[in-house]
Amino acid sequence: RSCPANEAFIPPKFCDNRIVSSKYTVWNFLPKNLFEQFRRIANFYFLIIFLVQVIVDTPTSPVTSGLPLFFVITVTAIKQGYEDWLRHKADNEVNKYPVTVLEDGRRIRKESEKIKVGDVVEVEENETFPCDLILLQSSRDDDTCFVTTASLDGESNHKTHYTVPDTEKDLESLNATIECEQPQPDLYKFVGRMHIYKNNQEPAVRSLGPENLLLKGATLKNTQKICGVAVYTGMETKMALNYQGKSQKRSAVEKSINAFLLVYLCILVSKALVCTTLKYVWQSKPGQDEPWYNEKTQREKDTNLYLKMFTDFLSFMVLFNFIIPVSMYVTVEMQKFLGSFFITWDKDFFDPEIQEGALVNTSDLNEELGQVEYVFTDKTGTLTQNNMEFIECCIDGFQYKYRDASSELDGFCVTDGPVYLDKWEELFLRALCLCHTVQVKEPTEGFIASSPDEVALVKGAMRYGFTFLGLESKTMKILNRNNDVEMYELLHVLNFDPVRRRMSVIVRAISGDTLLFCKGADSSIFPRVRQEEVERIRMHVERNATEGYRTLCVAYKYLSAEEYAQADAGLREARLALQDREQKLMAVYNQVETGMSLIGATAVEDRLQEEAAETMEALQGAGMKVWVLTGDKMETAKSTCYACRLFQRNTELLELTVRTLEDGGRRREERLHELLLEYHKKAVQDAPPVKAGVTRSWSLTNQDYGFIIDGATLSMVLNSSTESNSSRYKNLFLQICQNCTAVLCCRMAPLQKAQIVKMVKNSKGCPITLSIGDGANDVSMILEAHVGIGIKGKEGRQAVRNSDYAIPKLKHLKKLLLAHGHLYYVRIAHLVQYFFYKNLCFILPQFLYQFFCGYSQQPLYDAAYLTMYNICFTSMPILAYSLLEQHICMEVLLDNATLYREIAKNAMLRWGPFLYWTLLGVFHGLLFFFGVRYLFSNPALQDNGQVFGNWSYGTIVFTVLVFTVTLKLALDTRHWTWINHFVIWGSLAFYVFFSFFWGGIIWPFLRQQRLYFVFANMLSSVSAWLVIILLILLSLLPEILLVVFRKPRGPHSRQIAAVTPLSYKHLKERQ
Amino acid sequence: MVKQEQELDNRPDNTAFTQQRLPAWQPMLSAGIVIPGFVLIGLAFIGIGVALFVTSRSIQVLEIDYTGVAQDSPCYRCSDPDTKNCVCTMDFSIDTLFKGPVFFYYGLTNYFQNYRRYGASKDASQLSGDLEYFKNPSSDCSPYQYDNDKPIVPCGSIANSMFNDTFKLYQIVNGARKQVPLDGKGIAWWTDYNVKYRNPSVTPLRNAFNGTVKPVFWSRPAYELDPTDPANNGFINQDFLVWMRRAALPNFRKLYRRITEGDYAEGLPAGNYSLEIAYNYPVLSFDGEKKVVFSNVSWMGGKNEFLGIAYLVIGSLCIVMSIVMLIVYAKFKFPEED
């Protein structure tokens, strides 16, 4: 890909700078939206039913299913249309934004969408970049500019970007082409090359990296104006590429719904089949098919028998199709959408520090929060605060601890060694001051860096008298103990990356010496320094690590002129490379960072998050297995685990790390095999068998196991040399882990984190996993897990953007899962089961009626009732229930984490409860139908001797139905707010009112006034009243009995019963 | 100040609703409530059940099958479909006074008035007196829409198959037949008679039917259904209305007449009676039966043992359950109250 700068010719293949995030235009909205909507299987099913009703002579008018469908489709279309209109508006705002483009030396105002690749764009301070630009010229003297990418990744610190080196100040005379890679979404990667053509000279080549690229969406700060050439425009910008939606996560509840739907579809089809078959069996008897009073029309007689059978089958399908209601989808969606507001509204999630509450990125997974079995948590920034404090250091083997300035003159105290080691000490502190990428924030005396460790180190050095003053045009200034300013020319920064786990700088002192300072994890530094220095420091490092501190080792070396020249050339060459630049750079880095001398080590404390231990304890109490996945080293991570009580004192630790593998002195592979088997024996085979049926036992008498594995060993487990071993190890590993209360995986690369999550996710039983993290390195596991939770921490917003839910602090996880998750799950599970139940007992009488009406598809209920049942009469109470129900109040849920186990493994939506609800529906349906059937053995039900007809029959059944179904919900409701009262009694009142109204007027638009005064006549019959009361009570009796008898038996019921009656008022007093 | 405001902006509302802390009533179905509740419900149900049962028992019912399947039946002769204008007489006796008002029903079995297409086969507009539909009946009425290209009024299967047996009841007093007056008013729903079904406002009524033909099965046109009472003709003929209200089940009965007048206002006295039947309605082709039912009614309507028994059973069940619960809780020592 190449694009010219300042050349007239622009290849047409680049797209223009229009951002199109909208899906529809005015013209294609209707067809496209309808197409999209009917791609959903449910909508399509209802459309088919509707079409059958239109085409075939069916018992119910197309309106009964057309109206709800139309309603659903319209509401969805309006919602999507509105969202799209907002997108259009936003797009237009961006696309019509005026920008300044330099053309032929003139400045021209253009609309943003007209920028083409190769245009030179001028941007002023606090403006956002209209497209991805290569920085050519900055108004700052040092050829840099500052930007903030808050809107891209949420990192609000100012990032420095550099102009392409050696470009001329006069842009008009610049003649160059740019080659760069194809657009890709990674915000932090960019490779390119610029060829600068000067008059008749060899074209000069300059490498372009992410530091030259200004991303669309970022804002220019602290810089008056810059000029840049557009390289990626419109939909090819990195922002647009990142805009693509995340993959859809489906919740387990949704899978259950689909399974149940399938069952009901089978019931529906079999019902229709049974009726069709029986109809033709019945008709084969002479005289039944066509009695004299009911002759067929000529057309019916002419119709082919099989065609007739088929249309009969379709008619039955239509008659019974209400068993799968349109409204369930609407209600579930509404419940999820509205329910998720309770998370955002919760003031317990509000963090006054960052002035933000919880964030819900998707409402589809609310109930999944109540089903979590595995929690994968990041350590840094999640379990710990990522708020670093310099604790101590060790220089040349001697420990230096920081004390208050009063006790020692310089606040620097040697605890276990000779006092004066000035040379080493100062070298060490200089190294701390130089080897970093910290910036000095100008207005206030603060430091900004991508990693808080660095800030802690620089601040630590400051306390010992070495102050970093800032970086000015490649010169680092340090204020030393004697208040002299030392100047170092910054030659190269060998950036930190998680694979190398170290960073280096190459600086040149005033004296002319070229120095390389390197700092990094012990494991990555020790092999690269002279071995005789290592031992003394290793001791300190390990002790610090067990105390829970983050340790870094510092090393240096002098570079001779030749060495430097060689390194410089290598670095420059690698930076120019278009392909495999990363690898090439890495190779050069590794080459340069060798043969160093170790100066010392630092220890930085990372404090635990507030209530981290309580939260972890609660999660474990709730039956969740907590796995800590961290990039940190084992000792540090282990101490964090102890600190937050993931490992207890009596927890037996099973270690599977490089160290334990090397203990045996044999081949690692063999040792791994041996250890795996040993641990497996210990943790799995010898463990007391977990009783089936009882939720996983959790008692203190059992030996707890904790498992520790590191990245290197994990990759051995996962990618073992032989295929068979690999799967076997994986199995063993999983089984061990599943029997451990906590698992610690240290030294993990981001991808390995995701691998582990994936492995557990796909293991037997498909447990629901949750990942929580705050940094960019957690994104992969957040995306991989069933539920991804981002913490609005200090490491930018990438985790939050990719998460499903975001919370400000770790401690909020407890309430999110134990209270919100539990309630959401119970609510939606009940909603789903109730919906299936109420439609089963709605349609079953209609099915039974077929046996009494010659299988003629005669509907039992009036069309109005058929349509309104799910829309008006019974929808609101269950919606209110599913939003407000708290079968156990929140405080109790938070106090008794074990309650969470009761709903584990989708307990309320397994086949058992489903069968229960289905049987209940069948029982009710049978009761309604046959109760009224026996009443109608004498249809003279009024005291004036007049008889009732078929519509009266249907209305009585329907009245019983509506009341029973609503009262059943009332029985299940444990938390009656005024809304529940209003909605439940309101629905019943509405039903009565509607029936009066509907039957009280001759409706001009109806062809047949079937229900005219049917309801009123029904109410005038004492028998009808009595049978209604009888049937309602009889239907609910078993339910009441069940509630009463079940109470004293459940394991936790007493505890709950003891606390639940505490009313809200009471709790308020207690607070 | 500004900072504080911002904080207020961001902080979630602290209302009872948003914090899910709406004051709520949390009912507990404890034994202390349920057991007395069950006892109360049980007693109430048993009370109602007894009342229903006693009432139902006191209702007298007399059923007479006159299909004429059996050869010894007086109507056997008439059951042959080829006999026209057949009249047969059924004799019966009543031992004690059949308390009035007595309701006279006819009943049919295995007759599917609730068949879907049968039920749809009528023209509601026509029946509400719209002359437009006299000329062009709805196609729903097919195959009883046109007869030889002339529109049928009232069209459709239901109207066509209207029950047309007629009955005369005599009391045998000293060997002489004394006719029992039958009241044909008030047998259909008031709203059907007064609102739902309307004759066209044409006088005389027969003019409205010009250019139409009577249903195939009928012997007389709609406007001559009741020669004795001009207000009981057309679509608001009470027998027609009763027939048009479709029965819910294939075995049904419909109200034919009430016995409320003269010597019989108090009921049918004991004695011998003779029922003269004009046997017109064929039912044997579909294995149907025809019967007449004499019954009196109570506040609960006609005789129906089901309700009374059901109430008694459920009531006793409630009592039994409450006893069982009491035992269970006595054993567990009311765990909730510890």
Side-chain angles (χ1 to χ4, degrees):
Chain A
R1 185 188 161 101
S2 71
C3 49
N6 283 18
E7 277 185 10
F9 173 69
I10 285 143
K13 60 180 174 175
F14 302 125
C15 64
D16 61 7
N17 196 33
R18 248 164 51 128
I19 286 281
V20 186
S21 57
S22 55
K23 267 194 198 151
Y24 311 110
T25 64
V26 178
W27 307 112
N28 71 9
F29 175 73
L30 209 61
K32 198 171 168 188
N33 183 265
L34 284 183
F35 176 73
E36 298 246 318
Q37 289 205 44
F38 284 122
R39 271 208 324 209
R40 285 187 63 181
I41 200 95
N43 285 346
F44 188 69
Y45 163 79
F46 294 118
L47 181 71
I48 294 288
I49 291 286
F50 174 70
L51 288 180
V52 168
Q53 276 179 311
V54 171
I55 296 162
V56 184
D57 166 43
T58 53
T60 52
S61 85
V63 177
T64 52
S65 69
L67 200 66
L69 183 65
F70 179 75
F71 176 74
V72 170
I73 297 285
T74 315
V75 167
T76 320
I78 288 173
K79 182 176 149 242
Q80 292 181 347
Y82 175 70
E83 283 171 357
D84 207 56
W85 179 70
L86 288 184
R87 281 196 287 264
H88 268 289
K89 241 175 66 175
D91 285 353
N92 267 341
E93 214 165 276
V94 174
N95 290 338
K96 302 280 185 235
Y97 189 81
V99 294
T100 312
V101 174
L102 301 179
E103 245 172 46
D104 303 331
R106 284 172 295 133
R107 304 171 71 227
I108 297 170
R109 297 296 276 178
K110 259 192 184 180
E111 282 172 353
S112 161
E113 61 179 349
K114 301 215 169 101
I115 295 177
K116 296 182 206 80
V117 171
D119 280 353
V120 176
V121 183
E122 187 180 283
V123 181
E124 290 180 9
E125 185 167 3
N126 291 333
E127 277 186 329
T128 54
F129 302 113
C131 56
D132 291 353
L133 301 170
I134 293 288
L135 181 60
L136 293 178
Q137 198 181 57
S138 166
S139 63
R140 285 174 68 101
D141 302 334
D142 54 0
D143 283 343
T144 59
C145 74
F146 292 101
V147 302
T148 163
T149 52
S151 58
L152 283 172
D153 56 11
E155 292 176 29
S156 55
N157 57 342
H158 294 184
K159 296 198 176 83
T160 319
H161 285 249
Y162 302 92
T163 55
V164 180
D166 308 330
T167 51
E168 283 160 62
K169 285 288 161 204
D170 185 10
L171 285 180
E172 216 178 325
S173 62
L174 176 70
N175 187 0
T177 56
I178 293 170
E179 276 176 51
C180 52
E181 58 184 351
Q182 288 297 325
Q184 57 143 324
D186 192 323
L187 293 180
Y188 309 107
K189 282 201 179 123
F190 174 72
V191 222
R193 191 151 49 180
M194 192 178 206
H195 300 269
I196 303 172
Y197 304 99
K198 287 180 185 160
N199 302 331
N200 306 324
Q201 283 175 23
E202 271 292 290
V205 182
R206 296 284 171 268
S207 76
L208 304 174
E211 71 277 3
N212 305 116
L213 187 69
L214 303 173
L215 299 177
K216 180 188 172 85
T219 317
L220 185 65
K221 292 282 181 191
N222 288 355
T223 314
Q224 267 183 347
K225 69 176 186 182
I226 58 107
C227 290
V229 57
V231 280
Y232 301 126
T233 50
M235 299 312 286
E236 289 181 347
T237 56
K238 287 188 185 285
M239 184 175 91
L241 290 172
N242 268 289
Y243 199 73
Q244 275 141 10
K246 288 171 290 173
S247 67
Q248 277 274 310
K249 289 182 181 176
R250 302 225 151 254
S251 78
V253 168
E254 221 164 312
K255 283 172 205 153
S256 299
I257 295 182
N258 287 339
F260 297 165
L261 264 184
L262 220 61
V263 173
Y264 269 64
L265 202 65
C266 290
I267 294 180
L268 171 64
V269 171
S270 52
K271 269 184 178 175
L273 274 177
V274 164
C275 280
T276 317
T277 319
L278 286 177
K279 176 174 180 153
Y280 284 89
V281 170
W282 182 78
Q283 280 182 353
S284 63
K285 269 205 302 187
Q288 303 281 43
D289 185 25
E290 196 181 3
W292 65 267
Y293 56 85
N294 190 18
E295 275 176 29
K296 290 180 178 171
T297 56
Q298 198 56 43
R299 232 181 82 214
E300 282 176 296
K301 285 177 190 164
D302 293 344
T303 318
N304 178 290
L305 178 69
Y306 295 103
L307 188 66
K308 255 198 292 191
M309 279 182 170
F310 183 64
T311 50
D312 271 325
F313 175 73
L314 287 183
S315 295
F316 280 119
M317 289 280 284
V318 167
L319 188 65
F320 303 141
N321 87 82
F322 299 92
I323 201 169
I324 299 175
V326 185
S327 60
M328 186 173 75
Y329 288 91
V330 185
T331 315
V332 168
E333 292 282 307
M334 285 224 291
Q335 194 269 349
K336 286 184 170 180
F337 177 70
L338 297 176
S340 61
F341 280 111
F342 284 120
I343 293 180
T344 18
W345 281 338
D346 197 321
K347 73 175 165 44
D348 290 350
F349 293 157
F350 183 76
D351 188 50
E353 224 172 274
I354 56 169
Q355 291 290 313
E356 270 179 89
L359 178 76
V360 177
N361 285 333
T362 168
S363 59
D364 287 343
L365 300 170
N366 291 344
E367 66 276 2
E368 210 86 331
L369 293 173
Q371 288 295 303
V372 176
E373 287 174 67
Y374 285 86
V375 175
F376 297 97
T377 164
D378 176 41
K379 189 179 80 69
T380 315
T382 307
L383 284 177
T384 59
Q385 283 184 347
N386 207 10
N387 187 2
M388 307 296 168
E389 205 171 327
F390 186 86
I391 294 295
E392 62 174 46
C393 60
C394 143
I395 301 171
D396 197 28
F398 301 106
Q399 188 187 13
Y400 290 69
K401 222 174 202 145
Y402 177 72
R403 294 239 181 89
D404 277 337
S406 53
S407 63
E408 288 279 329
L409 195 65
D410 53 4
F412 205 42
C413 145
V414 186
T415 54
D416 57 353
V419 185
Y420 293 109
L421 275 162
D422 265 346
K423 179 185 159 255
W424 283 107
E425 217 177 283
E426 293 200 348
L427 185 67
F428 178 77
L429 293 173
R430 278 193 191 102
L432 289 189
C433 280
L434 292 172
C435 182
H436 57 71
T437 53
V438 174
Q439 292 162 26
V440 177
K441 205 169 174 184
E442 279 154 44
T444 54
E445 266 303 302
F447 301 102
I448 315 164
S450 48
S451 146
D453 294 66
E454 295 198 321
V455 177
L457 290 177
V458 172
K459 277 186 176 166
M462 195 164 83
R463 286 199 301 225
Y464 301 140
F466 278 78
T467 310
F468 174 59
L469 290 177
L471 175 70
E472 267 170 40
S473 54
K474 300 238 161 200
T475 310
M476 293 177 114
K477 289 187 197 160
I478 296 173
L479 192 67
N480 68 9
R481 283 185 183 171
N482 309 326
N483 276 339
D484 296 332
V485 176
E486 296 176 19
M487 310 270 260
Y488 292 91
E489 189 189 349
L490 180 62
L491 298 170
H492 281 289
V493 176
L494 282 57
N495 279 324
F496 177 85
D497 68 66
V499 183
R500 260 167 66 239
R501 307 181 55 81
R502 61 180 179 269
M503 71 152 300
S504 309
V505 288
I506 301 175
V507 292
R508 182 174 291 147
I510 300 279
S511 60
D513 290 337
T514 312
L515 283 149
L516 176 133
F517 290 110
C518 178
K519 73 168 196 280
D522 49 4
S523 62
S524 62
I525 297 280
F526 286 162
R528 303 183 164 270
V529 295
R530 273 179 239 128
Q531 287 308 308
E532 63 269 18
E533 297 155 354
V534 169
E535 278 317 309
R536 282 181 296 173
I537 289 181
R538 170 171 285 173
M539 199 180 68
H540 285 280
V541 169
E542 282 180 1
R543 201 199 42 190
N544 282 337
T546 45
E547 279 166 18
Y549 300 138
R550 297 161 69 88
T551 55
L552 284 175
C553 293
V554 183
Y556 85 106
K557 83 170 174 185
Y558 280 100
L559 290 176
S560 64
E562 300 89 72
E563 274 177 313
Y564 173 67
Q566 196 189 346
D568 185 47
L571 286 169
R572 276 177 203 282
E573 191 190 329
R575 283 199 182 128
L576 279 182
L578 258 189
Q579 271 152 7
D580 303 329
R581 179 183 287 179
E582 315 282 304
Q583 282 97 314
K584 282 178 189 165
L585 272 177
M586 199 78 75
V588 179
Y589 288 167
N590 284 341
Q591 196 190 329
V592 176
E593 292 163 338
T594 45
M596 300 177 288
S597 328
L598 195 61
I599 324 172
T602 59
V604 171
E605 188 189 18
D606 189 0
R607 257 181 274 140
L608 281 187
Q609 288 275 6
E610 299 166 58
E611 295 174 35
E614 288 85 343
T615 308
M616 287 301 128
E617 220 165 24
L619 295 188
Q620 286 198 327
M624 285 174 245
K625 307 236 163 121
V626 182
W627 292 34
V628 179
L629 310 183
T630 177
D632 224 330
K633 75 175 83 43
M634 194 188 100
E635 286 74 20
T636 321
K638 204 157 88 183
S639 62
T640 310
C641 284
Y642 274 115
C644 52
R645 286 178 236 162
L646 280 174
F647 292 157
Q648 311 267 352
R649 220 163 272 283
N650 58 351
T651 307
E652 189 179 337
L653 293 184
L654 310 176
E655 253 180 56
L656 198 64
T657 55
V658 178
R659 203 168 58 188
T660 52
L661 289 187
E662 280 169 352
D663 272 354
R666 268 177 298 162
R667 276 187 55 228
R668 284 184 175 194
E669 190 96 336
E670 284 169 32
R671 178 80 182 135
L672 173 72
H673 184 85
E674 196 175 290
L675 274 177
L676 270 176
L677 284 180
E678 183 193 324
Y679 292 157
H680 185 258
K681 190 163 177 297
K682 228 187 229 172
V684 182
Q685 290 163 0
D686 292 352
V690 183
K691 269 188 215 158
V694 183
T695 39
R696 282 154 300 157
S697 59
W698 169 263
S699 60
L700 290 171
T701 52
N702 276 0
Q703 175 66 49
D704 291 337
Y705 292 103
F707 192 73
I708 303 176
I709 190 166
D710 64 4
T713 322
L714 182 77
S715 59
M716 269 174 69
V717 170
L718 295 184
N719 316 310
S720 186
S721 48
T722 54
E723 192 63 30
S724 62
N725 268 359
S726 167
S727 64
R728 194 157 142 247
Y729 288 166
K730 217 161 132 180
N731 255 331
L732 284 174
F733 170 64
L734 263 178
Q735 283 180 9
I736 296 168
C737 290
Q738 279 162 359
N739 277 293
C740 291
T741 49
V743 175
L744 166 65
C745 305
C746 39
R747 296 289 195 218
M748 291 281 138
L751 212 64
Q752 275 183 316
K753 291 183 176 183
Q755 259 182 342
I756 290 202
V757 175
K758 194 171 185 178
M759 190 174 73
V760 173
K761 196 169 99 177
N762 296 331
S763 70
K764 210 176 81 199
C766 299
I768 306 292
T769 55
L770 175 142
S771 292
I772 179 164
D774 71 325
N777 58 344
D778 306 318
V779 169
S780 57
M781 77 173 183
I782 285 177
L783 288 177
E784 183 65 48
H786 290 103
V787 189
I789 295 193
I791 287 197
K792 298 179 169 176
K794 299 193 172 163
E795 289 189 29
R797 282 278 156 124
Q798 267 197 314
V800 171
R801 273 193 307 141
N802 288 294
S803 64
D804 303 310
Y805 300 89
I807 46 178
K809 285 273 166 62
L810 178 78
K811 62 175 177 181
H812 299 140
L813 187 64
K814 182 177 164 190
K815 190 176 184 190
L816 187 67
L817 296 185
L818 295 190
H820 284 285
H822 190 127
L823 289 179
Y824 281 130
Y825 175 73
V826 170
R827 288 167 183 172
I828 201 145
H830 199 275
L831 167 75
V832 169
Q833 299 278 27
Y834 179 77
F835 242 100
F836 281 112
Y837 148 80
K838 86 176 162 111
N839 283 292
L840 183 63
C841 60
F842 172 47
I843 264 344
L844 192 66
Q846 182 137 287
F847 168 69
L848 293 169
Y849 193 53
Q850 299 311 307
F851 293 84
F852 295 87
C853 70
Y855 311 98
S856 58
Q857 301 122 24
Q858 170 68 35
L860 182 59
Y861 317 111
D862 182 61
Y865 285 157
L866 282 174
T867 315
M868 304 277 279
Y869 177 71
N870 272 316
I871 300 181
C872 302
F873 300 146
T874 59
S875 62
M876 291 317 283
I878 183 64
L879 185 63
Y881 172 94
S882 64
L883 287 174
L884 302 170
E885 172 69 351
Q886 294 175 35
H887 65 301
I888 303 172
C889 72
M890 294 241 220
E891 282 73 17
V892 180
L893 284 175
L894 286 177
D895 289 345
N896 302 297
T898 39
L899 290 174
Y900 193 83
R901 292 152 184 265
E902 298 196 341
I903 55 159
K905 301 243 171 211
N906 211 0
M908 291 178 71
L909 286 173
R910 267 181 285 175
W911 291 110
F914 176 67
L915 199 69
Y916 164 73
W917 281 93
T918 307
L919 288 180
L920 191 73
V922 170
F923 168 64
H924 285 182
L926 287 173
L927 206 63
F928 300 159
F929 183 78
F930 285 105
V932 183
R933 156 87 186 74
Y934 285 111
L935 182 74
F936 264 69
S937 55
N938 181 359
L941 293 171
Q942 280 178 292
D943 57 359
N944 60 8
Q946 291 173 358
V947 294
F948 279 168
N950 65 324
W951 297 118
S952 300
Y953 189 109
T955 306
I956 294 177
V957 174
F958 192 76
T959 308
V960 177
L961 172 75
V962 169
F963 273 81
T964 308
V965 159
T966 309
L967 291 178
K968 155 82 181 134
L969 187 69
L971 265 184
D972 289 341
T973 306
R974 289 268 150 278
H975 190 80
W976 284 82
T977 63
W978 65 268
I979 300 174
N980 293 89
H981 281 290
F982 177 75
V983 164
I984 287 185
W985 311 127
S987 291
L988 293 179
F990 174 74
Y991 166 68
V992 174
F993 171 77
F994 174 85
S995 296
F996 265 118
F997 193 57
W998 186 245
I1001 294 175
I1002 296 277
W1003 295 97
F1005 58 86
L1006 285 179
R1007 274 202 306 146
Q1008 305 201 356
Q1009 312 292 336
R1010 295 154 159 179
L1011 284 196
Y1012 189 63
F1013 262 74
V1014 164
F1015 192 75
N1017 260 316
M1018 181 189 86
L1019 291 188
S1020 74
S1021 157
V1022 182
S1023 293
W1025 275 91
L1026 287 177
V1027 87
I1028 290 171
I1029 293 169
L1030 175 86
L1031 291 179
I1032 293 172
L1033 202 97
L1034 189 56
S1035 323
L1036 297 178
L1037 261 189
E1039 199 66 22
I1040 298 171
L1041 283 182
L1042 218 64
V1043 171
V1044 174
F1045 276 112
R1046 205 169 37 187
K1047 176 117 337 98
R1049 301 223 179 105
H1052 299 286
S1053 57
R1054 213 174 292 180
Q1055 186 186 350
I1056 302 163
V1059 204
T1060 11
L1062 280 182
S1063 67
Y1064 163 64
K1065 222 187 260 170
H1066 195 113
L1067 282 167
K1068 212 172 173 185
E1069 283 162 14
R1070 209 171 59 172
Q1071 278 172 353
Chain B
M1 191 60 203
V2 175
K3 203 183 171 191
Q4 212 167 8
E5 263 170 36
Q6 200 188 348
E7 185 173 331
L8 288 178
D9 280 348
N10 281 337
R11 184 183 284 277
D13 292 344
N14 186 13
T15 60
F17 175 68
T18 54
Q19 300 309 314
Q20 305 196 58
R21 288 195 174 284
L22 280 178
W25 171 55
Q26 290 167 323
M28 293 291 297
L29 279 174
S30 64
I33 300 168
V34 174
I35 295 175
F38 266 56
V39 173
L40 276 181
I41 290 172
L43 291 179
F45 268 46
I46 289 177
I48 296 172
V50 168
L52 280 170
F53 193 70
V54 170
T55 315
S56 182
R57 269 298 160 89
S58 71
I59 295 174
Q60 295 156 291
V61 178
L62 179 69
E63 267 191 44
I64 302 161
D65 189 313
Y66 72 95
T67 325
V69 190
Q71 296 211 345
D72 57 344
S73 163
C75 290
Y76 175 68
R77 184 175 51 85
C78 295
S79 61
D80 180 4
D82 291 334
T83 16
K84 294 271 178 271
N85 298 324
C86 179
V87 175
C88 59
T89 309
M90 302 285 285
D91 293 325
F92 61 95
S93 63
I94 294 172
D95 302 334
T96 55
L97 172 72
F98 205 105
K99 263 192 244 131
V102 178
F103 291 78
F104 181 176
Y105 298 90
Y106 62 88
L108 294 170
T109 61
N110 203 24
Y111 191 103
F112 287 86
Q113 240 202 338
N114 56 12
Y115 208 82
R116 177 168 68 89
R117 254 184 332 92
Y118 177 84
S121 183
K122 65 176 181 182
D123 188 338
S125 312
Q126 200 184 57
L127 294 173
S128 62
D130 192 334
L131 284 172
E132 194 65 28
Y133 294 89
F134 275 49
K135 298 184 189 74
N136 300 305
S138 155
S139 61
D140 289 340
C141 289
S142 179
Y144 303 104
Q145 188 180 10
Y146 292 102
D147 184 22
N148 294 326
D149 293 334
K150 283 194 167 172
I152 298 175
V153 178
C155 72
S157 299
I158 318 183
N160 182 62
S161 61
M162 183 178 155
F163 188 74
N164 59 359
D165 284 0
T166 52
F167 306 94
K168 280 176 185 157
L169 182 64
Y170 299 97
Q171 186 186 10
I172 316 288
V173 184
N174 303 327
R177 302 210 303 179
K178 180 186 172 193
Q179 188 166 6
V180 178
L182 300 176
D183 179 9
K185 290 209 178 65
I187 56 172
W189 286 19
W190 188 92
T191 45
D192 284 357
Y193 182 72
N194 289 293
V195 187
K196 194 169 162 183
Y197 291 83
R198 303 253 40 91
N199 279 328
S201 46
V202 176
T203 40
L205 185 57
R206 66 177 305 154
N207 288 358
F209 289 78
N210 284 341
T212 68
V213 293
K214 64 179 171 57
V216 187
F217 182 70
W218 288 18
S219 53
R220 279 175 297 184
Y223 49 87
E224 285 172 359
L225 279 175
D226 185 359
T228 59
D229 182 3
N232 194 22
N233 274 316
F235 305 140
I236 56 168
N237 175 275
Q238 296 259 349
D239 287 322
F240 179 68
L241 294 178
V242 167
W243 184 254
M244 293 302 282
R245 185 152 289 280
R246 295 158 60 207
L249 298 165
N251 300 339
F252 60 87
R253 62 172 79 156
K254 284 178 184 280
L255 190 53
Y256 181 68
R257 291 291 183 266
R258 297 184 302 159
I259 302 169
T260 54
E261 293 165 38
D263 300 337
Y264 301 96
E266 292 302 310
L268 295 174
N272 291 323
Y273 291 83
S274 153
L275 183 68
E276 191 181 289
I277 302 152
Y279 194 112
N280 299 315
Y281 208 72
V283 293
L284 286 180
S285 62
F286 53 85
D287 284 337
E289 285 169 4
K290 300 196 284 190
K291 62 190 173 191
V292 290
V293 181
F294 296 96
S295 166
N296 42 30
V297 298
S298 65
W299 49 272
M300 60 170 283
K303 191 179 182 77
N304 196 335
E305 307 259 290
F306 162 73
L307 259 187
I309 293 171
Y311 263 86
L312 282 176
V313 169
I314 306 296
S316 357
L317 210 71
C318 284
I319 301 281
V320 169
M321 286 321 298
S322 58
I323 292 169
V324 170
M325 268 189 276
L326 207 63
I327 294 169
V328 168
Y329 274 91
K331 251 187 173 169
F332 286 96
K333 291 193 176 171
F334 291 87
E336 283 151 305
E337 285 162 30
D338 286 350

